[in-house]
Protein backbone atom coordinates (compact mmCIF):
# COMPACT_ATOMS: atom_id res chain seq x y z
CA UNK A 1 0.00 0.00 0.00
CA UNK A 2 1.23 3.46 -0.88
CA UNK A 3 1.96 6.10 1.76
CA UNK A 4 1.11 9.74 1.15
CA UNK A 5 4.27 11.84 0.56
CA UNK A 6 5.71 13.56 3.63
CA UNK A 7 4.37 16.99 2.65
CA UNK A 8 2.58 18.79 5.49
CA UNK A 9 -0.74 20.53 4.84
CA UNK A 10 -1.20 24.19 5.72
CA UNK A 11 -2.51 25.02 9.19
CA UNK A 12 -6.30 25.08 9.35
CA UNK A 13 -7.42 21.61 8.27
CA UNK A 14 -11.00 20.52 8.93
CA UNK A 15 -11.85 17.11 10.40
CA UNK A 16 -15.37 15.70 10.16
CA UNK A 17 -16.66 12.68 12.07
CA UNK A 18 -19.86 10.86 11.17
CA UNK A 19 -20.43 7.89 13.51
CA UNK A 20 -22.60 5.15 12.03
CA UNK A 21 -25.52 4.97 14.44
CA UNK A 22 -29.06 3.73 13.87
CA UNK A 23 -31.73 5.48 15.97
CA UNK A 24 -35.23 4.19 16.67
CA UNK A 25 -37.80 6.58 18.13
CA UNK A 26 -40.11 4.92 20.63
CA UNK A 27 -43.70 6.01 21.20
CA UNK A 28 -43.09 7.35 24.69
CA UNK A 29 -40.42 9.84 23.57
CA UNK A 30 -37.43 7.63 24.34
CA UNK A 31 -35.04 6.60 21.64
CA UNK A 32 -32.82 3.56 21.13
CA UNK A 33 -29.37 4.12 19.58
CA UNK A 34 -27.22 1.27 18.25
CA UNK A 35 -23.92 1.08 16.40
CA UNK A 36 -24.29 -0.06 12.80
CA UNK A 37 -21.59 -2.40 11.52
CA UNK A 38 -18.29 -3.48 13.05
CA UNK A 39 -17.12 -1.53 16.13
CA UNK A 40 -13.68 -0.66 14.68
CA UNK A 41 -15.25 1.09 11.67
CA UNK A 42 -17.92 3.13 13.44
CA UNK A 43 -16.42 6.59 13.10
CA UNK A 44 -14.83 7.23 9.69
CA UNK A 45 -13.03 10.58 9.46
CA UNK A 46 -13.01 13.05 6.58
CA UNK A 47 -10.18 15.60 6.36
CA UNK A 48 -10.37 18.74 4.24
CA UNK A 49 -6.73 19.71 3.68
CA UNK A 50 -4.98 22.59 1.97
CA UNK A 51 -1.41 22.30 0.75
CA UNK A 52 0.24 25.68 0.05
CA UNK A 53 3.43 24.40 -1.57
CA UNK A 54 5.94 24.89 -4.36
CA UNK A 55 4.94 23.90 -7.88
CA UNK A 56 7.32 20.90 -7.65
CA UNK A 57 5.69 19.62 -4.43
CA UNK A 58 2.24 20.14 -5.94
CA UNK A 59 3.27 17.96 -8.88
CA UNK A 60 4.35 15.24 -6.41
CA UNK A 61 0.99 15.40 -4.60
CA UNK A 62 -1.01 15.46 -7.82
CA UNK A 63 1.00 12.59 -9.31
CA UNK A 64 0.48 10.53 -6.17
CA UNK A 65 -3.29 11.16 -6.17
CA UNK A 66 -3.59 10.40 -9.90
CA UNK A 67 -1.76 7.11 -9.32
CA UNK A 68 -4.29 6.18 -6.62
CA UNK A 69 -7.12 6.89 -9.06
CA UNK A 70 -5.47 4.67 -11.68
CA UNK A 71 -4.84 1.72 -9.34
CA UNK A 72 -8.08 2.28 -7.33
CA UNK A 73 -6.11 1.72 -4.12
CA UNK A 74 -6.32 3.44 -0.77
CA UNK A 75 -3.23 4.99 0.79
CA UNK A 76 -1.81 5.43 4.28
CA UNK A 77 -1.97 8.94 5.70
CA UNK A 78 -1.19 10.30 9.17
CA UNK A 79 -3.08 13.55 9.80
CA UNK A 80 -0.97 16.25 11.47
CA UNK A 81 -1.49 16.64 15.23
CA UNK A 82 -3.26 13.26 15.41
CA UNK A 83 -0.23 11.46 16.87
CA UNK A 84 0.54 11.39 20.57
CA UNK A 85 2.75 9.48 22.98
CA UNK A 86 2.32 9.38 26.73
CA UNK A 87 3.38 7.28 29.72
CA UNK A 88 1.75 5.67 32.74
CA UNK A 89 1.54 2.39 34.65
CA UNK A 90 0.03 -1.02 33.95
CA UNK A 91 -1.00 -4.19 35.70
CA UNK A 92 -1.74 -7.48 33.98
CA UNK A 93 -3.83 -10.30 35.43
CA UNK A 94 -4.42 -13.19 33.01
CA UNK A 95 -4.78 -11.59 29.55
CA UNK A 96 -6.36 -8.33 30.74
CA UNK A 97 -3.92 -5.42 30.93
CA UNK A 98 -5.20 -2.40 32.86
CA UNK A 99 -3.39 0.82 31.96
CA UNK A 100 -3.56 3.97 34.08
CA UNK A 101 -2.66 7.28 32.41
CA UNK A 102 -4.11 10.59 33.60
CA UNK A 103 -6.49 11.97 30.93
CA UNK A 104 -5.45 9.26 28.43
CA UNK A 105 -7.80 10.41 25.63
CA UNK A 106 -8.18 6.99 23.98
CA UNK A 107 -11.43 5.31 22.93
CA UNK A 108 -12.62 1.74 22.52
CA UNK A 109 -11.27 0.40 19.23
CA UNK A 110 -8.20 2.69 19.06
CA UNK A 111 -5.06 0.82 18.02
CA UNK A 112 -2.11 1.68 20.28
CA UNK A 113 1.56 0.81 20.06
CA UNK A 114 2.48 -0.19 23.60
CA UNK A 115 6.01 -0.31 25.01
CA UNK A 116 6.14 -1.97 28.42
CA UNK A 117 9.19 -0.12 29.77
CA UNK A 118 9.37 -2.28 32.89
CA UNK A 119 8.01 -5.70 33.72
CA UNK A 120 7.99 -8.67 31.36
CA UNK A 121 4.93 -8.03 29.18
CA UNK A 122 5.33 -8.26 25.40
CA UNK A 123 5.38 -4.97 23.44
CA UNK A 124 3.25 -4.54 20.32
CA UNK A 125 0.09 -3.11 18.81
CA UNK A 126 -3.10 -3.54 20.83
CA UNK A 127 -6.75 -2.54 20.45
CA UNK A 128 -8.37 -0.69 23.37
CA UNK A 129 -10.90 -3.21 24.75
CA UNK A 130 -12.64 -1.01 27.33
CA UNK A 131 -12.43 2.45 28.87
CA UNK A 132 -13.18 2.54 32.60
CA UNK A 133 -12.86 6.33 32.99
CA UNK A 134 -10.68 9.27 31.83
CA UNK A 135 -7.64 7.73 33.51
CA UNK A 136 -8.02 3.94 33.05
CA UNK A 137 -8.48 1.64 30.04
CA UNK A 138 -7.77 -2.01 29.20
CA UNK A 139 -6.25 -4.00 26.35
CA UNK A 140 -6.02 -7.76 25.87
CA UNK A 141 -2.60 -9.43 25.86
CA UNK A 142 -1.81 -12.43 23.67
CA UNK A 143 -0.63 -14.54 26.61
CA UNK A 144 -1.80 -14.90 30.18
CA UNK A 145 0.55 -13.50 32.87
CA UNK A 146 0.76 -11.51 36.08
CA UNK A 147 2.87 -8.37 35.59
CA UNK A 148 2.99 -4.70 36.49
CA UNK A 149 5.22 -1.72 35.80
CA UNK A 150 5.60 1.33 33.60
CA UNK A 151 4.25 1.71 30.08
CA UNK A 152 4.51 4.09 27.12
CA UNK A 153 1.66 4.26 24.58
CA UNK A 154 1.57 5.81 21.12
CA UNK A 155 -1.60 6.47 19.15
CA UNK A 156 -0.37 6.97 15.60
CA UNK A 157 -3.52 8.33 14.02
CA UNK A 158 -2.49 6.73 10.70
CA UNK A 159 -5.28 5.27 8.64
CA UNK A 160 -6.28 4.20 5.15
CA UNK A 161 -7.75 6.96 3.01
CA UNK A 162 -8.96 7.73 -0.49
CA UNK A 163 -9.12 11.12 -2.20
CA UNK A 164 -12.20 11.42 -4.38
CA UNK A 165 -11.38 14.90 -5.71
CA UNK A 166 -8.88 17.73 -5.44
CA UNK A 167 -8.30 21.17 -6.91
CA UNK A 168 -5.06 22.94 -7.82
CA UNK A 169 -4.64 26.71 -7.99
CA UNK A 170 -1.46 28.47 -9.11
CA UNK A 171 -1.66 31.95 -7.53
CA UNK A 172 1.77 33.09 -8.69
CA UNK A 173 5.04 31.82 -10.17
CA UNK A 174 6.38 28.55 -8.65
CA UNK A 175 3.63 28.33 -5.96
CA UNK A 176 0.51 26.18 -5.92
CA UNK A 177 -2.42 25.54 -3.61
CA UNK A 178 -3.98 22.09 -3.61
CA UNK A 179 -7.29 21.54 -1.78
CA UNK A 180 -8.13 17.91 -1.07
CA UNK A 181 -10.68 15.83 0.78
CA UNK A 182 -9.34 12.61 2.30
CA UNK A 183 -12.01 10.09 3.30
CA UNK A 184 -11.11 7.26 5.70
CA UNK A 185 -11.87 3.75 4.48
CA UNK A 186 -11.77 0.44 6.30
CA UNK A 187 -10.14 -2.36 4.36
CA UNK A 188 -8.28 -5.55 5.20
Amino acid sequence: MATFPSITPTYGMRKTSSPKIRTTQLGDGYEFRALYGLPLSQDPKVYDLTFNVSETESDVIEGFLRSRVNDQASFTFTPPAEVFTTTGTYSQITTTVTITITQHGVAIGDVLTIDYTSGSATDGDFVVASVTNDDVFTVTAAASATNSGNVSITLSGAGKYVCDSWTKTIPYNNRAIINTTFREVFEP
Side-chain angles (χ1 to χ4, degrees):
M1 175 181 302
T3 300
F4 189 78
S6 59
I7 301 172
T8 305
T10 306
Y11 178 77
M13 72 177 182
R14 186 175 102 189
K15 174 182 171 182
T16 306
S17 296
S18 299
K20 296 177 184 177
I21 298 174
R22 297 289 188 226
T23 304
T24 302
Q25 297 287 335
L26 304 175
D28 56 2
Y30 288 95
E31 70 180 25
F32 174 75
R33 292 174 300 282
L35 293 177
Y36 183 70
L38 299 172
L40 293 178
S41 62
Q42 289 308 309
D43 193 11
K45 307 292 187 263
V46 176
Y47 289 91
D48 293 319
L49 305 165
T50 300
F51 296 87
N52 190 345
V53 294
S54 70
E55 179 61 30
T56 303
E57 287 177 313
S58 75
D59 290 343
V60 170
I61 293 170
E62 213 172 9
F64 178 85
L65 296 175
R66 274 196 313 270
S67 294
R68 300 298 69 77
V69 169
N70 290 339
D71 65 16
Q72 293 296 299
S74 60
F75 55 89
T76 301
F77 175 69
T78 303
E82 295 287 296
V83 177
F84 77 86
T85 300
T86 189
T87 58
T89 61
Y90 80 95
S91 66
Q92 178 180 355
I93 299 174
T94 65
T95 58
T96 301
V97 180
T98 302
I99 299 176
T100 303
I101 297 174
T102 304
Q103 298 292 310
H104 56 69
V106 301
I108 295 172
D110 283 349
V111 178
L112 306 173
T113 300
I114 299 180
D115 176 16
Y116 296 99
T117 55
S118 65
S120 59
T122 304
D123 299 343
D125 292 336
F126 298 88
V127 176
V128 175
S130 68
V131 175
T132 307
N133 57 43
D134 291 343
D135 301 330
V136 178
F137 64 93
T138 66
V139 298
T140 303
S144 184
T146 302
N147 292 312
S148 64
N150 297 320
V151 66
S152 172
I153 66 164
T154 301
L155 177 63
S156 80
K160 296 178 183 180
Y161 292 85
V162 294
C163 181
D164 297 320
S165 65
W166 64 91
T167 61
K168 178 178 178 179
T169 307
I170 303 172
Y172 51 91
N173 192 25
N174 199 32
R175 293 303 297 174
I177 299 171
I178 296 185
N179 292 303
T180 64
T181 300
F182 288 1
R183 179 176 50 87
E184 187 175 23
V185 294
F186 301 100
E187 301 172 335

